[in-house]
Amino acid sequence: MDEIREFLVIDEEEGDRLDIYLSSQLGDMSRSYIQKIIKEKKVKVNNKEQKGKYLVKEDDKVVIEIPAPKLLEVTPQDIPIDIVYEDSDLLIVNKQQDMVVHPAPGNYENTLVNAILYHCKDNLSSINGIIRPGIVHRIDKDTSGLLMIAKNNNAHNSLAEQLKDHSITREYEFICHGVVKEDKITVDRPIGRNPKDRLKMAIVKDGRNAVTHFEVVKRYENFTHMRARLETGRTHQIRVHALSINHPLLGDNVYGPKNNKFKTNGQTLHAKKLGFIHPSSKEYVEFDSQLPTYFQDIINKLK
């Protein structure tokens, strides 16, 4: 049976495109899938059909008819993945840039989950359900680097608890616009949904606590190679905090300049180091990864 959802537009959301507005309201549902529903005439604003480009107004009543989910099968696919470490409890994967972590409506293939289902067969935790088996945490499609995959529920619970306690070591490296003057900077500013653009995150007064420790790796002309250590793990945390100190990430088309001379496929951001207490041995383990080719190529050009 189809699901009917109703929303009332508030003043802060006025001026958003209808498809963007619904994307922000419906979480994991992709904008392209929402556009498909709109084209199928299953969205009405004040009882009238509207196109995706319609700009919502305060007090608009938006009603969407979400098609009943089909019996979902996420298909294992033989996709090459870079496995850094594996045992009976977990898998550490070095995700390539451009790879989506888990399926979402309208995109059920060629994700990391499809790949690990093929590699691990039935040996994955079930805590996050069919769509995200084994997925303890995620990184953006355009971010490369290390991810933990849980093979059983005990391992998943242990790793998730460490994430909640902020006890996992997570270090990233990135290239940002401008020359950062300070060698080290700590940004302690709350992050929440951007009230002017619901698809973005921003520094907001009533946002969730977020702390990032930045350190300069090397300065170049007009750019800086940086390291970031996360205390918290908010959505787009590094990207938003870097923007807050006026040094947006190179290639970040959401928070930084739209064009750059390096023609990158998204932000130059790599999850380089990951450390945690192993669920079974109870010993601290740490994994490191080399900077990917796309990242190293830019450094070579900057040199």
Side-chain angles (χ1 to χ4, degrees), residues 17-254:
R17 283 175 53 115
L18 178 60
D19 53 358
I20 293 175
Y21 170 78
L22 285 171
S23 293
S24 69
Q25 300 297 322
L26 294 168
D28 277 348
M29 197 171 290
S30 70
R31 184 175 164 190
S32 60
Y33 185 64
I34 287 171
Q35 288 172 335
K36 179 175 179 289
I37 295 176
I38 292 172
K39 287 177 181 177
E40 291 173 353
K41 300 183 178 181
K42 294 185 177 182
V43 174
K44 291 185 178 180
V45 181
N46 303 326
N47 296 317
K48 289 179 61 179
E49 293 171 0
Q50 296 288 356
K51 295 183 178 180
K53 64 182 180 181
Y54 170 81
L55 303 182
V56 299
K57 303 178 183 68
E58 183 179 1
D59 294 329
D60 273 352
K61 181 181 178 182
V62 181
V63 179
I64 180 170
E65 183 181 345
I66 303 171
K70 298 175 182 176
L71 183 60
L72 178 62
E73 290 186 14
V74 181
T75 309
Q77 290 179 279
D78 186 7
I79 303 169
I81 49 176
D82 181 5
I83 298 172
V84 176
Y85 174 83
E86 183 176 13
D87 62 23
S88 58
D89 285 316
L90 54 91
L91 194 68
I92 304 296
V93 174
N94 187 17
K95 185 187 84 69
Q96 67 187 44
Q97 192 183 45
D98 290 335
M99 179 178 253
V100 175
V101 171
H102 59 76
N107 181 26
Y108 290 115
E109 295 184 344
N110 300 314
T111 71
L112 180 62
V113 163
N114 295 104
I116 63 173
L117 279 170
Y118 182 89
H119 177 79
C120 296
K121 306 298 187 280
D122 295 326
N123 298 317
L124 288 169
S125 80
S126 60
I127 287 175
N128 277 340
I130 296 172
I131 295 290
R132 307 180 188 183
I135 302 298
V136 183
H137 66 127
R138 60 178 289 278
I139 55 180
D140 294 331
K141 173 193 172 191
D142 293 331
T143 300
S144 57
L146 300 180
L147 273 174
M148 303 177 291
I149 309 295
K151 286 189 169 184
N152 55 66
N153 289 355
N154 286 336
H156 193 126
N157 285 328
S158 172
L159 296 171
E161 192 64 30
Q162 292 179 64
L163 277 172
K164 183 180 177 182
D165 292 340
H166 310 311
S167 60
I168 289 182
T169 300
R170 284 178 291 171
E171 286 189 3
Y172 290 69
E173 292 195 12
F174 63 92
I175 297 170
C176 65
H177 289 272
V179 179
V180 180
K181 295 180 180 179
E182 301 89 343
D183 290 339
K184 295 183 179 181
I185 306 171
T186 292
V187 179
D188 184 350
R189 304 185 72 184
I191 292 176
R193 190 68 61 180
N194 187 327
K196 296 181 180 179
D197 185 342
R198 307 300 290 178
L199 291 184
K200 291 183 180 181
M201 308 302 289
I203 305 295
V204 292
K205 187 176 181 180
D206 58 349
R208 300 177 71 189
N209 173 52
V211 182
T212 310
H213 302 284
F214 293 113
E215 181 180 358
V216 170
V217 177
K218 191 171 180 61
R219 297 177 177 91
Y220 299 95
E221 185 179 355
N222 301 321
F223 296 94
T224 307
H225 179 183
M226 299 283 287
R227 180 178 296 117
R229 181 170 61 83
L230 296 181
E231 271 195 34
T232 54
R234 308 306 176 206
T235 301
H236 298 177
Q237 179 172 321
I238 292 173
R239 299 161 66 188
V240 171
H241 275 175
L243 176 63
S244 76
I245 58 173
N246 300 314
H247 292 287
L249 272 61
L250 172 63
D252 191 339
N253 294 326
V254 176

Side-chain angles (χ1 to χ4, degrees), residues 269-284:
L269 178 62
H270 179 69
K272 194 171 188 300
K273 185 179 291 186
L274 196 57
F276 51 88
I277 301 298
H278 192 282
S280 291
S281 72
K282 307 303 180 186
E283 294 181 353
Y284 180 77

